Amino acid sequence: MTTRTIGIMTAVIALCGASVLAQDSQPSASAVGTAAAPDGTLTSVVDTWTIEINPRLWWVSPSGDLRLPGSASGTPKVRIEDLNLDTPQFTPAGSVSIDADNFRFSFAGASFSNDAEFFVPSPLAVGSISLLPTDPSESSFDLGIYELNVGYRFYQLDYKRRSEPSIETADLHLDLYALAGARMYDLNIRVSQAGTGVSEADEFYIEPIIGVRSELTIIRDFTINLQLDGGGMGDSDRSSFSFNIAIDFQWRPTPWFGVQIGWRQVAYSFEDGTGASAFEYEGAMAGLFTGAVLRF
């Protein structure tokens, strides 16, 4: 993990900590539990704010087509699998979120790193070098994805509470959030061969994002979450675009602890520079994830 990446994570975590302290200084609402409605049924009582910490592991690998700086005109892009970088592995990831009435503040991050050795079947041009089949080549891929967003709950449905008391209905609760924020990418790709040289790209992108998130709670301890968002930023010779989809299933045997399993894909496109110095990468990171959910 680079010094720049560590600095980014430290700054954002500090901001999240400040938000938590600010919430701590205000009177808190009643704890999560149940209360009797006028008709005698039990309904959920939810804190005006809660903190959720979600450490997880993401079984993921990169894919896509790549052009490193120094490529001659007309040179085709190199596929990630040609560099032996497409092997999936467990990647640390996680999020911290604060629910405050109708607002939801969230910071999420994931950091993938892979080093590989490979042989090319025939000479292969990668950036400013040409790999030969006679010697082993080395490659490395480091990608940090970090995002900070704010959500506003624009729709809420308590199906059981809205139903007639005399009708037996499922205990369903739906929340819909509109999201806005920023996503950051810290990317380093390096290819080398002894006696041939090194071709490398070190890039950082930040882009605004918008999206929507749904949270469906079933019988109070089982939740299905779905988030869709996308963003982009571009100027004359530098741009980035992305689309993110994540769905997870949570089971909480207690109000403060749960487990989850889900799937996430982030598709992206990066460009920087023109001509021989241009960098281009269009690809995705996709895979299953699992983790724990801690609520306070």
Side-chain angles (χ1 to χ4, degrees):
M1 188 178 296
T2 64
T3 303
R4 179 171 60 193
T5 302
I6 296 173
I8 293 168
M9 295 180 65
T10 303
V12 177
I13 291 172
L15 288 174
C16 292
S19 300
V20 172
L21 291 176
Q23 292 285 351
D24 240 347
S25 64
Q26 301 176 3
S28 61
S30 57
V32 176
T34 59
D39 58 11
T41 61
L42 293 179
T43 59
S44 298
V45 177
V46 184
D47 278 336
T48 52
W49 66 274
T50 57
I51 303 170
E52 181 175 293
I53 301 174
N54 180 207
R56 57 181 177 262
L57 290 174
W58 189 15
W59 180 253
V60 69
S61 65
S63 63
D65 301 317
L66 170 72
R67 175 176 286 115
L68 291 176
S71 300
S73 178
T75 302
K77 293 181 180 179
V78 178
R79 297 192 61 80
I80 290 295
E81 52 262 41
D82 294 337
L83 306 178
N84 196 27
L85 292 171
D86 61 331
T87 303
Q89 62 185 42
F90 281 113
T91 295
S95 64
V96 178
S97 61
I98 301 173
D99 288 333
D101 295 324
N102 287 330
F103 289 92
R104 183 179 188 274
F105 305 90
S106 177
F107 167 68
S111 181
F112 178 88
S113 181
N114 189 20
D115 298 295
E117 186 176 278
F118 63 100
F119 285 86
V120 294
S122 59
L124 177 66
V126 181
S128 59
I129 63 175
S130 182
L131 304 178
L132 303 176
T134 55
D135 297 306
S137 302
E138 296 181 346
S139 60
S140 66
F141 184 101
D142 297 283
L143 176 61
I145 305 174
Y146 313 100
E147 58 188 70
L148 185 64
N149 63 60
V150 178
Y152 179 76
R153 183 170 56 198
F154 64 89
Y155 181 79
Q156 186 177 49
L157 173 63
D158 190 330
Y159 187 68
K160 186 176 183 66
R161 191 170 186 178
R162 285 195 179 186
S163 301
E164 293 292 336
S166 59
I167 301 176
E168 192 68 28
T169 59
D171 192 2
L172 303 176
H173 190 95
L174 174 66
D175 293 306
L176 296 179
Y177 293 86
L179 305 177
R183 184 155 44 234
M184 296 161 281
Y185 298 92
D186 190 12
L187 173 65
N188 180 272
I189 303 175
R190 188 177 189 273
V191 181
S192 64
Q193 187 178 62
T196 300
V198 176
S199 186
E200 183 176 18
D202 190 14
E203 301 285 334
F204 180 80
Y205 298 88
I206 182 170
E207 60 188 20
I209 59 173
I210 57 173
V212 64
R213 177 181 175 86
S214 69
E215 299 180 354
L216 177 63
T217 301
I218 305 173
I219 321 177
R220 299 197 187 102
D221 57 1
F222 183 74
T223 305
I224 303 173
N225 301 315
L226 172 65
Q227 182 166 323
L228 302 170
D229 60 71
M233 177 69 77
D235 56 32
S236 58
D237 60 358
R238 180 177 174 84
S239 65
S240 70
F241 299 95
S242 67
F243 176 76
N244 171 72
I245 177 172
I247 182 170
D248 70 84
F249 304 86
Q250 293 184 12
W251 175 58
R252 293 190 304 275
T254 68
W256 60 271
F257 176 78
V259 292
Q260 73 172 178
I261 185 169
W263 179 83
R264 183 188 186 192
Q265 174 172 309
V266 184
Y268 43 69
S269 175
F270 303 126
E271 294 184 2
D272 185 16
T274 59
S277 63
F279 166 76
E280 299 177 30
Y281 176 33
E282 183 175 346
M285 301 278 286
L288 294 169
F289 63 83
T290 186
V293 181
L294 304 174
R295 287 187 173 183
F296 306 94

